[in-house]
Amino acid sequence: MSDTTLDQILAKYPAREEDVVNIDEPLITLVVIRLGNDLFAFHGRLIKEVLSGDEPVYHVPGMPDSVEGVIHLRGVIESVILLHPLLQLPAPHLPGTGALLLGQGKTIRSAVRVDRMLDVIELPQSLIQPVPETLPAALRPYCCGLFDYRGQPATLLDLELVFSAWQQ
């Protein structure tokens, strides 16, 4: 029998940072989207469904620029909100294209048009960084944090604040 201790054995196999998992840290589910060249996300608990986006959208006269129209979804009429005007982002290259995220807030349920739905991820809560002062002023009222998504910065949006601004 050898006098090798557990510490000596473990020293031969150094732990890599990606191998270390903190099981006590809460995870949050995020739906990652693209709007133009920028990455954003919503809390997954508020996104009830991802639609392909090829559903016919019916224009409603007199609505603000932030409303694309309405869709008929399984017997229910849902509004379709455009984020580009609200967040002061350039209009999409092909209006009316991209995915629709059906979101449910406390008082509002609506579809939100995004250029592309990228991913649904679980992220440790500690990896959400506070909103920096350098974030554009148009985004700050709707942002609740930043995080890294595959080496690129992504902005976490608060769907409740987006819906609230849309109502006004």
Side-chain angles (χ1 to χ4, degrees):
M1 197 107 168
S2 169
D3 289 332
T4 306
T5 66
L6 181 58
D7 289 333
Q8 291 170 330
I9 294 171
L10 290 175
K12 291 181 184 179
Y13 304 98
R16 297 176 302 182
E17 189 173 321
E18 62 268 17
D19 293 338
V20 178
V21 177
N22 184 348
I23 59 172
D24 294 332
E25 184 170 9
L27 296 175
I28 56 173
T29 302
L30 301 176
V31 177
V32 183
I33 61 172
R34 180 175 294 284
L35 293 171
N37 295 324
D38 299 313
L39 297 177
F40 295 91
F42 289 112
H43 283 279
R45 62 182 159 69
L46 298 177
I47 303 301
K48 300 304 174 194
E49 189 173 351
V50 177
L51 307 169
S52 65
D54 58 1
E55 296 79 3
V57 177
Y58 302 96
H59 177 71
V60 178
M63 296 303 287
D65 289 344
S66 60
V67 178
E68 182 177 343
V70 296
I71 59 173
H72 184 251
L73 184 64
R74 293 183 293 277
V76 177
I77 303 298
E78 303 283 2
S79 58
V80 178
I81 298 173
L82 297 171
L83 291 175
H84 293 81
L86 182 67
L87 302 176
Q88 296 180 13
L89 297 171
H93 298 298
L94 298 170
T97 62
L100 293 172
L101 305 179
L102 186 60
Q104 176 69 55
K106 291 178 185 168
T107 59
I108 297 177
R109 176 180 155 125
S110 180
V112 177
R113 173 77 68 185
V114 300
D115 294 344
R116 190 165 170 218
M117 204 292 284
L118 298 175
D119 206 352
V120 176
I121 62 172
E122 284 193 334
L123 193 68
Q125 203 164 8
S126 65
L127 293 182
I128 304 293
Q129 302 298 315
V131 179
E133 292 296 321
T134 57
L135 194 69
L139 293 178
R140 252 185 260 137
Y142 314 109
C143 179
C144 53
L146 297 177
F147 65 97
D148 179 79
Y149 176 73
R150 298 184 179 175
Q152 295 182 308
T155 305
L156 179 57
L157 297 174
D158 185 324
L159 188 61
E160 291 286 353
L161 294 175
V162 168
F163 281 165
S164 181
W166 175 72
Q167 272 186 310
Q168 299 173 8

